[in-house]
Amino acid sequence: MAAAVMTFTAVPLTLYPDMFPGPLGHSMAGRALESGTWACAPVQIRDFATDRHRTVDDTPAGGGAGMVLKADVLGAAIDHAMAAHPGLPLLAMTPRGAPVTQKRVRDLAAGPGAIILCGRFEGFDERIFDARPIEQLSMGDIILSGGEMGALMLLDACIRLLPGVMGAASSGDDESFENGLLEYPHYTRPVEWEGRTIPEVLRSGDHAKIAAWRKQQAQDHTRLRRPDLWERHEDARDRPASGARQKKKD
C-alpha cells in the first residue's frame, strides 16, 4: 500500500485573511492548491479580541508613534491555531527576524506546513515572543506594510518545492542559492537579437564544456554581485570534513 502524501498546510494569522491565498491561487501554486498538495487556512486575529470594538492594538508603552498588536489577542489567536493544527512550526514575519535562507525554506517544505503570524502597525507586543515558541523570520532588509506579503513570499518559496509542483524533481537544483551560488545566465532563441548572440559554448553541443562554463559564470556572478555569498561559499569549500578535523586533532 502506498504511503499517504502529506498535505502542506499554511495557516496565516492575519488581520486580512482575504489576502490568502492571493497570488498563490494562480500558476503552479494554484494548481497545487486545487489538487490538495497544500492547503491554506487563514485565521482572523480580530476574532480573538474580547471587547465590543474587537480591538487588536493599543498605544506603545512609554509613548511613541503608531500602535502595537496586543499580546493577549495574539496569544489567543496563536493558541487556537496551534490547537487546530498541532505539530506545525510557529513563525512570525518581522524585520527583526533571522533572514530566510533557501536551506530554511527546504526544511519547511519538507515538513507539515507552518503557522505564520503576520504583523501590522508598529509590530508585536514583545511578551508574545517570551510566552510562545515563535521563530522570527525576515524576508530582507526592507519594511513592508504588514507581514502578509512576507508570508506570501515564504509560502511561495516552500510550495514550489513540494512534490509534483515543479515538473521535474530536479528543476530547482541549479537555481540561485541552492548550491551557495547565484544561478548562471540563461539564453534562448533567436540566436541573435539586437546584435547580441547566444554565447558560442552554449551552441557547441559539448555538455562538459557547457557545464564548466555555467559553473564559472555562477562563480563569477556571485563573486561580483554578492560578495557575502561568495565568502560563505569559499569558507564552506575550504572547511575540512569533520573526520579530517578529528584526525588532525588526534
Side-chain angles (χ1 to χ4, degrees):
M1 181 184 294
V5 177
M6 177 178 62
T7 296
F8 181 95
T9 304
V11 186
L13 273 58
T14 171
L15 293 174
Y16 301 97
D18 289 346
M19 292 182 71
F20 298 90
L24 300 180
H26 302 274
S27 189
M28 293 189 303
R31 291 191 293 273
L33 183 61
E34 289 179 3
S35 70
T37 301
W38 74 286
C40 189
V43 172
Q44 169 60 270
I45 293 172
R46 198 174 296 278
D47 289 345
F48 299 89
T50 56
D51 67 323
R52 66 189 182 93
H53 299 294
R54 302 177 74 202
T55 305
V56 298
D57 59 341
D58 206 342
T59 54
M67 303 292 280
V68 178
L69 288 168
K70 292 163 57 68
D72 54 344
V73 178
L74 292 173
I78 290 170
D79 291 346
H80 167 82
M82 294 181 72
H85 305 277
L88 266 59
L90 177 57
L91 316 175
M93 305 310 302
T94 166
R96 294 174 52 195
V100 174
T101 64
Q102 189 64 15
K103 181 184 183 305
R104 187 68 188 103
V105 167
R106 282 201 170 275
D107 290 344
L108 286 170
I115 299 168
I116 308 178
L117 184 59
C118 301
R120 281 276 160 175
F121 317 123
E122 293 301 308
F124 310 102
D125 184 314
E126 186 68 17
R127 290 172 293 182
I128 199 64
F129 298 116
D130 298 327
R132 301 293 186 273
I134 304 172
E135 178 184 359
Q136 301 179 59
L137 294 176
S138 168
M139 297 307 292
D141 295 342
I142 55 174
I143 303 298
L144 301 170
S145 299
E148 289 81 8
M149 296 306 295
L152 287 166
M153 289 173 63
L154 178 62
L155 289 172
D156 180 72
C158 292
I159 291 163
R160 62 189 296 277
L161 297 180
L162 299 178
V165 174
M166 288 189 289
S170 61
S171 294
D173 290 352
D174 289 333
E175 292 180 329
S176 294
F177 313 118
E178 286 293 352
N179 56 8
L181 298 172
L182 297 180
E183 191 176 7
Y184 51 79
H186 292 278
Y187 300 85
T188 190
R189 292 174 291 187
V191 172
E192 183 175 340
W193 174 74
E194 292 190 354
R196 297 167 174 83
T197 59
I198 296 174
E200 186 176 348
V201 65
L202 297 180
R203 296 177 278 133
S204 68
D206 188 323
H207 297 296
K209 286 184 178 179
I210 291 171
W213 180 88
R214 285 175 169 170
K215 180 179 179 181
Q216 187 63 55
Q217 289 289 308
Q219 293 175 344
D220 291 347
H221 279 259
T222 305
R223 186 172 60 252
L224 293 173
R225 300 184 184 196
R226 289 291 304 274
D228 57 322
L229 281 181
W230 179 251
E231 185 175 348
R232 289 201 295 272
H233 175 71
E234 287 295 276
D235 286 346
R237 283 205 314 179
D238 293 341
R239 193 179 303 125
S242 57
R245 285 200 301 271
Q246 187 65 42
K247 186 181 262 186
K248 191 172 182 181
K249 275 184 172 181
D250 296 343

